[in-house]
Amino acid sequence: MYSEQNVDIIPEKWYNIVPDLPEPLPPPRDHDPENSSIDLLNRILPKEVLRQEFTSSRYEQIPQEVIEQYMQIGRPTPLIRAKNLEKFLKFNGKIFFKYEGATVTGSHKINTALPQAYYAANEGVQEVVTETGAGQWGTATALAATLNGIKSTVFMVKVSYEQKPLRKKIMNLYGAQVYASPSNMTDFGKKILAKDPDHPGTLGIAISEAVQYSLDHDMRYLLGSVENCVITHQTVIGQETVKQLETIGEKADTLIGCVGGGSNFSGFTFPFIKTDAEMIATAASEVPKFSRGKYAYDMIDTAGILPELKMFSLGADFVPKSIYAGGLRYHGAAPALSLLIRKGRIKTDEVGESQSLEAFKIFSKTQGIVPAPESSHAIATAINYCRNPANQGKTVVINVSGHGLLDLSFVRD
Amino acid sequence: MYSEQNVDIIPEKWYNIVPDLPEPLPPPRDHDPENSSIDLLNRILPKEVLRQEFTSSRYEQIPQEVIEQYMQIGRPTPLIRAKNLEKFLKFNGKIFFKYEGATVTGSHKINTALPQAYYAANEGVQEVVTETGAGQWGTATALAATLNGIKSTVFMVKVSYEQKPLRKKIMNLYGAQVYASPSNMTDFGKKILAKDPDHPGTLGIAISEAVQYSLDHDMRYLLGSVENCVITHQTVIGQETVKQLETIGEKADTLIGCVGGGSNFSGFTFPFIKTDAEMIATAASEVPKFSRGKYAYDMIDTAGILPELKMFSLGADFVPKSIYAGGLRYHGAAPALSLLIRKGRIKTDEVGESQSLEAFKIFSKTQGIVPAPESSHAIATAINYCRNPANQGKTVVINVSGHGLLDLSFVRD
């Protein structure tokens, strides 16, 4: 979005961490060997996306068209010194935040939606389909499709569809067709509605509907998180941060972000993997995937349509408490991130809803930016970190993955 | 908000157009010579604000503390080339927009709220008070007060208070006390409620309540638009735009903005006054102050508490149709702007709600940014302008004064 003098902050390549991991990344595997879900990917993903998912080369050239699109949607996003928060915390180090909420869709999700939609359009696909829980991913997909001249369909978890009418509106504005899931648009949805017409929906069901719908209509399916290529795309966040810190002569001691599926955190931190920066991944206490999850192969979606991945997981049938930070309710975490946590390179934290709400309020009042409830978890970790006398003097960088302007009902009256 | 390499885009001085006007600016005058409203200003405005209101020096130094605050709230705001909109319009010139929606409060209003709150705090004032219609000004005042360590009270027109609960929420988040006006907090409000307990409120009533409340409690009152010092503060917009265009080697042929009281438009265009750039001020057709208003002394507020100004006005008792762009419903326009329109230096346009909604949709879908309904009027003028073959090849700069994320109900389902 920023003035043209900043364009050189946007990287020319995405960074794929796979060759730099301390051991080989465990590959995806079929849930049911009789019925290959890996083959299924061939039918539902754009070819180039599939190739990137399985590559082990360190860099992928970002197409010039995608760089242009990155500029139009607000890249590079700003790196801001949170001086008011420092003052509030009486912290004598420095707090910076990378503000992904400055993209036009209000979160980091657009970083991967754009290339995926671009590749789909480039391969002659007319329409893409995906699911969305809280709405951020659906919003990003809708805009990415429009900017690449193709159509989009979004299956939105019914309870969110009803609670967040503004989200549906913005997706419609961007030209997407939005269905509440479970819906009558797929056999899977119809079956569920037959049993329970008032079923509130889950992300697992919405994924199954989106995949089914893309197969039925020969569309392509866009991936919102967890998968490796998504994380590769999200490294624009961390690579920009590296350059921005260099430009102002600063060095990060600590990087903090929140984890749902892991895409914003991984995209933010992986470009720093060869530095000695401390990295802390914050999950929601209500979704304690790090403290109580198992590191093992598990299903990505509830129905087991997509291939299994080795990751920290609470089990694909884990039903989280209804917390406001919908983006953190996912049961697993991206394989590369899980591996690095397992190996001790990345530390973890878990923050509860009331503490994240407190961080949300402090950040709003000191910096004026209303952060996404998800990002508020990372801010909570950072606040605790900076209040610890042992961390005085450090340079802390938080990834604020999105704004919370459409989530103001997080605060009760 | 932007990376520290951009800081030099923020000007060091505000620009006051008064000495550069083609003839002297007609001064404020008392509505009732028996009861001086000019004296009243001495009691309700911070001293420094009052001095700036009546100065005729060309520049005012921006205090270093305010520059710091400008950086924290998102200045410099980006100047963005609207390539997708150009493509959509098949326009072979260039369209840029200055995006004031990128400030943390989502509009340009914070540009003057900050210095006013700063001066108040500096003079020992503990609390400031103001009114708000659509909510943008109240939001800016609330944050400005918080950042300067003082309290704030906002009288919000009751119909908006009820229609826009998110606006109240964000003001509360920033620490403001918000009352629906007419309220029981002032004698004036009580009188109105006694006659009609369901009175929906008007901006005029809310101003009267805010002024009364500031007098009753020895607080200071903050000015949101129209007054000259407000416009002087808003010249950060245009001065940044001048530098940003220089940086990328561009020259503006045409500047377009929307006009409520005139502060965003004047702040954007006045720093270009000595160039040959064409300037077009867009009002709402439903508030046809330029085509049907009179250029004459008129009251600023409905009750006539504040001094009269010479301006284009539909009359202080003008009751506009209920249009969604609440910020454009004001009956008058800032004196310096009115004078320049009168003299022919600045052209005008008037755009109706349906056309602005169309522009809102086009801009959302092409650029991904949901503009404020007010700003959508300027975009509508720009779209018409760029569709006119006579204007092919020109470089057009639009001021997008705010985002519309809290105004999505502008679009019906």
Side-chain angles (χ1 to χ4, degrees):
Chain A
M1 179 180 308
Y2 303 105
S3 321
E4 310 207 354
Q5 68 262 34
N6 283 344
V7 172
D8 58 345
I9 297 290
I10 303 176
E12 290 174 3
K13 293 171 181 176
W14 292 299
Y15 167 61
N16 175 18
I17 200 170
V18 166
D20 295 327
L21 287 172
E23 60 186 50
L25 192 64
R29 76 175 192 195
D30 280 328
H31 176 58
D32 168 8
E34 298 296 305
N35 201 343
S36 173
S37 53
I38 295 176
D39 280 357
L40 176 81
L41 296 182
N42 279 308
R43 295 169 58 200
I44 61 171
L45 299 187
K47 283 187 195 61
E48 176 62 16
V49 173
L50 190 67
R51 187 191 66 70
Q52 291 182 5
E53 179 61 22
F54 290 101
T55 185
S56 58
S57 50
R58 187 170 281 115
Y59 293 104
E60 291 290 339
Q61 193 74 35
I62 308 179
Q64 192 52 44
E65 295 87 341
V66 173
I67 289 180
E68 282 287 336
Q69 291 177 15
Y70 277 162
M71 286 167 58
Q72 286 290 300
I73 61 85
R75 303 221 71 85
T77 56
L79 180 74
I80 305 163
R81 172 100 182 258
K83 289 195 184 170
N84 298 335
L85 181 60
E86 289 170 10
K87 228 178 289 170
F88 176 83
L89 296 172
K90 301 187 176 65
F91 180 62
N92 76 0
K94 291 173 184 167
I95 303 174
F96 289 91
F97 62 103
K98 177 69 170 168
Y99 185 42
E100 289 295 298
T103 68
V104 299
T105 61
S107 86
H108 70 291
K109 292 285 187 186
I110 191 74
N111 299 332
T112 183
L114 285 173
Q116 291 188 56
Y118 168 77
Y119 292 130
N122 220 23
E123 294 170 18
V125 173
Q126 304 288 318
E127 184 163 350
V128 291
V129 55
T130 199
E131 75 289 333
T132 198
Q136 288 283 17
W137 172 239
T139 304
T141 297
L143 182 63
T146 293
L147 294 186
N148 284 285
I150 59 179
K151 291 183 181 175
S152 64
T153 296
V154 178
F155 287 87
M156 184 170 189
V157 176
K158 197 198 277 169
V159 57
S160 294
Y161 183 93
E162 284 161 0
Q163 278 173 354
K164 303 192 171 190
L166 297 184
R167 275 285 163 201
K168 175 177 174 278
K169 234 164 207 173
I170 199 167
M171 287 187 264
N172 290 155
L173 256 186
Y174 289 160
Q177 177 71 53
V178 184
Y179 298 113
S181 166
S183 77
N184 277 312
M185 304 306 295
T186 67
D187 288 344
F188 187 65
K190 280 181 198 161
K191 254 185 238 168
I192 291 167
L193 288 176
K195 279 192 211 153
D196 179 2
D198 297 322
H199 196 295
T202 67
L203 198 57
I205 294 169
I207 296 178
S208 304
E209 285 212 277
V211 171
Q212 191 60 56
Y213 193 82
S214 73
L215 284 167
D216 290 350
H217 297 84
D218 195 27
M219 296 173 177
R220 288 300 174 275
Y221 171 74
L222 300 198
L223 302 161
S225 187
V226 184
E227 303 289 347
N228 199 59
C229 66
V230 171
I231 285 164
T232 299
H233 298 156
Q234 292 293 356
T235 60
V236 292
I237 305 171
Q239 292 188 77
E240 285 180 10
T241 309
V242 167
K243 284 199 208 175
Q244 288 168 320
L245 286 168
E246 270 173 22
T247 308
I248 53 173
E250 298 286 350
K251 189 181 155 296
D253 293 310
T254 315
L255 302 169
I256 300 173
C258 66
V259 176
S263 76
N264 93 71
F265 181 85
S266 305
F268 171 55
T269 55
F270 286 4
F272 290 87
I273 201 71
K274 291 175 186 172
T275 71
D276 58 0
E278 183 180 1
M279 298 171 180
I280 308 173
T282 307
S285 303
E286 297 82 356
V287 191
K289 59 187 85 174
F290 300 134
S291 62
R292 310 235 191 129
K294 259 177 68 183
Y295 181 62
Y297 272 98
D298 199 3
M299 297 190 288
I300 308 175
D301 60 309
T302 313
I305 300 176
L306 297 169
E308 293 189 347
L309 294 172
K310 190 166 185 187
M311 58 183 178
F312 274 98
S313 172
L314 289 156
D317 53 357
F318 173 77
V319 179
K321 223 182 105 182
S322 168
I323 58 170
Y324 205 89
L328 302 189
R329 299 181 76 220
Y330 189 67
H331 63 278
L337 171 60
S338 291
L339 180 63
L340 287 162
I341 289 172
R342 182 72 169 184
K343 292 285 164 192
R345 172 65 185 93
I346 292 174
K347 296 175 186 168
T348 65
D349 190 20
E350 287 169 358
V351 164
E353 175 148 69
S354 63
Q355 213 184 335
S356 72
L357 180 58
E358 190 55 29
F360 174 94
K361 289 180 179 169
I362 290 173
F363 201 74
S364 297
K365 205 169 169 181
T366 55
Q367 294 298 135
I369 286 176
V370 179
E374 291 81 2
S375 319
S376 301
H377 286 71
I379 297 168
T381 293
I383 288 174
N384 289 338
Y385 186 90
C386 295
R387 279 178 169 157
N388 179 346
N391 296 320
Q392 282 290 335
K394 289 190 178 168
T395 296
V396 177
V397 189
I398 313 168
N399 191 32
V400 174
S401 54
H403 69 62
L405 288 175
L406 300 182
D407 301 296
L408 280 164
S409 47
F410 190 22
V411 200
R412 283 153 212 98
D413 277 317
Chain B
M1 180 180 308
Y2 302 104
S3 323
E4 308 206 354
Q5 69 262 35
N6 283 344
V7 172
D8 59 344
I9 297 289
I10 303 176
E12 290 173 6
K13 293 172 182 175
W14 291 299
Y15 168 61
N16 176 17
I17 200 169
V18 165
D20 295 327
L21 288 172
E23 59 186 50
L25 191 65
R29 75 174 194 196
D30 279 327
H31 177 56
D32 167 10
E34 298 297 304
N35 200 344
S36 173
S37 53
I38 296 175
D39 282 355
L40 176 80
L41 296 182
N42 280 308
R43 294 170 56 201
I44 61 170
L45 299 187
K47 284 187 193 64
E48 176 62 16
V49 173
L50 190 67
R51 187 191 66 71
Q52 291 182 6
E53 179 61 24
F54 290 100
T55 184
S56 59
S57 50
R58 187 171 280 116
Y59 292 104
E60 290 290 339
Q61 193 73 34
I62 308 178
Q64 192 52 42
E65 294 87 342
V66 174
I67 289 182
E68 283 286 336
Q69 291 177 15
Y70 276 163
M71 287 167 58
Q72 287 289 302
I73 61 86
R75 303 220 73 85
T77 57
L79 180 74
I80 304 164
R81 172 100 181 259
K83 289 195 183 169
N84 298 334
L85 180 60
E86 289 171 10
K87 229 178 290 172
F88 176 83
L89 296 172
K90 301 187 177 65
F91 181 62
N92 75 1
K94 291 174 186 167
I95 304 174
F96 289 91
F97 60 103
K98 177 70 171 167
Y99 187 39
E100 289 296 298
T103 67
V104 300
T105 61
S107 86
H108 69 290
K109 292 285 186 186
I110 191 74
N111 300 332
T112 184
L114 284 173
Q116 290 187 56
Y118 168 78
Y119 292 129
N122 220 22
E123 292 169 19
V125 173
Q126 304 288 318
E127 184 162 351
V128 291
V129 55
T130 198
E131 74 291 331
T132 198
Q136 288 283 18
W137 172 241
T139 305
T141 297
L143 183 63
T146 293
L147 295 186
N148 284 286
I150 59 179
K151 291 183 181 177
S152 64
T153 296
V154 179
F155 287 87
M156 184 170 191
V157 176
K158 197 198 275 168
V159 58
S160 294
Y161 183 93
E162 284 161 0
Q163 277 173 354
K164 304 191 172 191
L166 297 183
R167 273 287 163 204
K168 175 178 175 278
K169 234 164 205 173
I170 199 167
M171 287 187 266
N172 289 156
L173 256 186
Y174 289 159
Q177 177 71 52
V178 184
Y179 298 112
S181 166
S183 77
N184 278 312
M185 303 306 295
T186 67
D187 287 344
F188 187 63
K190 280 180 199 162
K191 254 185 237 167
I192 291 168
L193 288 176
K195 278 193 213 155
D196 179 2
D198 297 322
H199 197 294
T202 67
L203 198 56
I205 293 170
I207 297 179
S208 305
E209 285 211 278
V211 171
Q212 191 59 56
Y213 193 81
S214 73
L215 284 166
D216 291 350
H217 297 84
D218 194 27
M219 296 174 179
R220 289 300 175 274
Y221 171 74
L222 299 198
L223 303 161
S225 188
V226 184
E227 303 288 347
N228 200 58
C229 66
V230 171
I231 285 164
T232 299
H233 298 155
Q234 292 293 356
T235 60
V236 290
I237 306 172
Q239 291 188 78
E240 284 180 9
T241 308
V242 167
K243 284 199 208 175
Q244 287 168 319
L245 286 169
E246 268 173 23
T247 308
I248 54 174
E250 299 286 350
K251 188 181 155 299
D253 294 310
T254 316
L255 302 169
I256 300 173
C258 66
V259 176
S263 75
N264 94 72
F265 181 86
S266 305
F268 172 55
T269 56
F270 286 2
F272 290 85
I273 202 70
K274 291 175 185 173
T275 72
D276 57 1
E278 185 179 357
M279 298 171 181
I280 308 173
T282 306
S285 302
E286 296 82 355
V287 190
K289 60 187 83 173
F290 300 134
S291 62
R292 311 236 190 127
K294 261 177 67 183
Y295 180 63
Y297 272 96
D298 199 3
M299 296 190 287
I300 308 175
D301 60 310
T302 313
I305 300 176
L306 297 168
E308 293 189 348
L309 295 172
K310 191 167 184 187
M311 60 183 177
F312 275 98
S313 173
L314 289 157
D317 54 356
F318 173 77
V319 178
K321 222 182 106 182
S322 168
I323 57 170
Y324 205 88
L328 303 189
R329 300 181 74 220
Y330 189 69
H331 63 277
L337 171 60
S338 291
L339 179 64
L340 287 163
I341 289 172
R342 181 73 168 185
K343 292 285 163 190
R345 173 65 185 93
I346 293 174
K347 295 176 187 169
T348 64
D349 191 18
E350 287 169 358
V351 165
E353 175 147 69
S354 63
Q355 213 183 337
S356 73
L357 180 58
E358 189 57 29
F360 174 93
K361 288 180 180 171
I362 291 173
F363 200 74
S364 296
K365 205 170 169 181
T366 55
Q367 293 299 135
I369 286 175
V370 179
E374 291 81 1
S375 318
S376 300
H377 286 71
I379 297 168
T381 293
I383 288 174
N384 290 338
Y385 186 90
C386 294
R387 278 178 170 156
N388 180 346
N391 296 320
Q392 282 290 334
K394 288 189 177 169
T395 296
V396 177
V397 189
I398 313 166
N399 191 32
V400 175
S401 54
H403 69 63
L405 289 175
L406 301 182
D407 301 297
L408 279 165
S409 48
F410 190 23
V411 199
R412 281 153 212 98
D413 280 317

